[in-house]
Amino acid sequence: MLSYRYLIAYAHSTGYGSIEFSRSAPITCTDDLTEVLDYLRRKGGATNPFILSFSRFDNPAPTRRATS
């Protein structure tokens, strides 16, 4: 199954944040963005989140994370 990965930048009542968000279909409408907002509320604990920007990754998911 093809997966679409996005970097989502958002603000909420106490600050800012960003997440990597994956879904099986591309983001094409506001209903898709509402799904992201619902995720931020449920899983991220964000109060009154709003999306500042989002960008789709074109490359495949990394097999390992970089260390610093």
Side-chain angles (χ1 to χ4, degrees), residues 2-55:
L2 186 59
S3 179
Y4 295 88
R5 294 172 42 241
Y6 292 89
L7 175 65
I8 309 288
Y10 64 96
H12 53 92
S13 60
T14 59
Y16 299 90
S18 63
I19 61 166
E20 185 177 320
F21 189 79
S22 296
R23 56 193 324 266
S24 59
I27 292 175
T28 59
C29 64
T30 56
D31 287 343
D32 298 336
L33 295 174
T34 299
E35 177 186 331
V36 176
L37 290 171
D38 290 342
Y39 177 86
L40 291 171
R41 287 183 195 104
R42 271 192 335 273
K43 302 289 184 176
T47 304
N48 298 323
F50 63 92
I51 295 172
L52 300 171
S53 66
F54 66 95
S55 180

